[in-house]
Amino acid sequence: MKRIIFIAFVISLSQEVFGQDNTYNIMPLPQSIKPNGQKVRVTALFTVAVIGNPGQRVYAEASRALRRLDQRVGFFFKQGFITAKDYSLKASLLIDVKRPAELKLNEDESYQLTITDRQIKISALTDFGVIRGLETLLQMLSVDASGYYFPGAEIQDFPRFPWRGLLLDVCLHWMPMDVVKRTLDGMAAVKMNVFHFHFSEDQAFRVESKVFPKLTELGAEGDYYTQEDVKEMIAYASQRGIRVVPEIDVPGHATAMIKAYPELASIPREYELQRYYGVFDPSLDVTKEYTYEFLDKLFGEMAQLFPDEYFHIGGDENTGKNWENSPSIREYMRKNNIKNAHDLQTEFNKRLLPMLTKYGKKVMGWDEILQPGVPKDIIIQSWQGGNPYYESLKKGYTSLLSSGYYIDLIQPADYHYLVDPAPEDATITDEQRKLILGGEATMWTEHTTTETVDSRIWPRTAAIAERLWSSQNVRDVEDMYRRLDIISLRLEELGSTHIKNKSMLMRRLANGYNTEALEVLVDVIEPLKIYQRNQGDTMYTVFSPYTKLADVATPDQRVAREFRKHVSQYVKSKDKTLEKNILDHLLLWKGNHSEFLKLIQQSPTLQEAEILSENLARIAQVGIDAIGFINGKQIPQSWHKESQLILQEAKQQGGRCDLQVTTAIDELVNAVKN
Ligand code: ACM
């Protein structure tokens, strides 16, 4: 054991000194990689050519890939924007494509990438295959003492699932076009292919309607996408092989629509946009013809604006309370023998479906739209997972999993990574298995602004992208994290602010340039997970400052994660190199508290973090003592009891964050023999 750890250490150190071979650092991992031992040097003479029958996407994406490559290697390549005139069978990178892709579900995305010392070749049926292959190639760029190279290999690759999505909610917080574009860039880098555009909510309606202009005039407070913006977004996504699926969430989560057009309301009164987060009672009056006329016109307009064949109608979390409280709706239900809100929503869905079919759309919605009598050609997106998900499959509905992929909940990447849309042990038939389209990560933006959204999406979503693309048996968590740390830098280069904004947020929070003591703390804390951050849904509104400790802190802290790993290895091996590394951290944390107290003097906002800093220093001392005892120092009688108490106290939150190294210290304490 000791030997293996030692070798691993030497390898990781030598990688830092002598470079890095990225043959196996790809994310998502391809279906098959066969290295051939060759190395293709990247020189200033590197060229790209396209043969076959490409669409315009291929030239634009090949040109973008060439720029991304020169940005990394620093050569002044001769080629600018690649066109058909660059045709040459001798190019360093030859792209061979059979036909342009169609932007639709189940389009072929497979490719073959061959890297030999004669040439790099990407062969694909469609330009989407080329685009996926280019991402793989860029990720393989490696370096050694002689410079940059591509490691020789033959790669055969194709996605496990055809639907690999990311939902971006642009309502709970406004996300302007540059956020959308950099998100699309990141998605393409990890081969995701559906951007689920959630633009209608209780807090806002954010796409311009020319038919119903009040939707944004009264429902967006100035922050919305014009139809030109939407077209630009769709073109940008299409260029990267990403579909844009729009969602208009009805009949619940629709307060913004109701504020703009109160005629839609179940209870007649004036409405305001919701400022808090959660589930609210306002709901469309689905018993009025006006509502159907309105939706018919709105869907008709939006169906034209969004070319994708799928249209998402939401359908989630309609409480039904405003229906029960409306005398006219109660009367309608009585007359039509509709027993409850559930059945009324079924009636509503049954009328929406032909409406959208008329506009050439297939319908999808959340679990709740799955009710008796709903036609089989809809897609159910399961945010609930478990039984509702499997019931949907068992009833024969094409389904998509989002439960387990809620990245807004700050859970670690390994949790999401191990959630499988089609687990091997699921008790479903082969036919039912075939109905599984894939999954979607969901980025709800309650507590997320333009400054923090990237750190909530990336790099964790890359792990979900791998689950949805790579073979089911790619499940090694440690290897995933190793590659995730590498891909994180690649995502940053593409424009994601998930690393750099953290420094800015820390400077603001520390009220100056000196953020050292804050950084030491932030490296070992995470925001409270699931829905604990927002107690009772009443701590935050859309106007709250999302610039505090819990916003600076990010999920899946690398320093804490590495520390926990090292401690687990150390308690088994008692390896001295690991021990020194652990002690260095413990001494840093112990000494940090006095520095942190000085920082609070100039940044009162940080007072809420004092308890965390103090507890970190206390558990660090416990860890230092534990290592002393492991090494044979005399153990005081009451030490075990006292250290348990300190560890217990260190579990409390501060600034809506908690420490991520208490379990590791606990492990050290447990390694001390009584
Ligand atoms: C949802 O999370 N209500 C779709």
Side-chain angles (χ1 to χ4, degrees), residues 253 316-317 366 368 383 406 444 531:
H253 283 299
D316 57 318
E317 299 181 313
W366 300 105
E368 290 94 327
W383 68 280
Y406 267 46
W444 303 103
Y531 294 105

Side-chain angles (χ1 to χ4, degrees), residues 491-542:
L491 289 162
E492 176 171 52
E493 285 165 19
L494 270 171
S496 171
T497 64
H498 64 291
I499 301 174
K500 71 180 177 196
N501 268 15
K502 195 164 178 174
S503 312
M504 178 277 290
L505 286 159
M506 278 196 287
R507 281 190 290 279
R508 177 160 57 204
L509 191 56
N511 198 18
Y513 283 101
N514 183 1
T515 59
E516 241 175 272
L518 176 58
E519 197 170 341
V520 169
L521 179 67
V522 162
D523 273 347
V524 293
I525 60 172
E526 288 177 16
L528 298 183
K529 295 175 183 42
I530 323 284
Y531 294 105
Q532 291 175 80
R533 178 168 174 191
N534 189 7
Q535 251 171 3
D537 284 345
T538 57
M539 292 184 71
Y540 299 94
T541 73
V542 295

Side-chain angles (χ1 to χ4, degrees), residues 26 30 81 108 135 207 265 278-279 416 440 473 521 541 629 632:
I26 306 162
F81 192 91
D108 192 291
E135 295 295 347
V207 166
V279 177
H416 297 301
E440 256 187 25
N473 61 17
L521 179 67
T541 73
F629 302 142

Side-chain angles (χ1 to χ4, degrees), residues 279-329:
V279 177
F280 304 98
D281 293 333
S283 184
L284 304 186
D285 184 343
V286 299
T287 66
K288 259 194 218 155
E289 276 316 297
Y290 173 82
T291 301
Y292 294 98
E293 285 158 22
F294 180 99
L295 290 178
D296 188 29
K297 287 189 193 135
L298 180 64
F299 286 155
E301 183 186 19
M302 293 297 147
Q304 275 218 317
L305 185 60
F306 292 93
D308 199 80
E309 63 181 323
Y310 285 93
F311 202 102
H312 202 301
I313 57 167
D316 57 318
E317 299 181 313
N318 178 46
T319 66
K321 285 202 183 129
N322 278 12
W323 290 350
E324 286 157 22
N325 292 337
S326 154
S328 70
I329 295 177

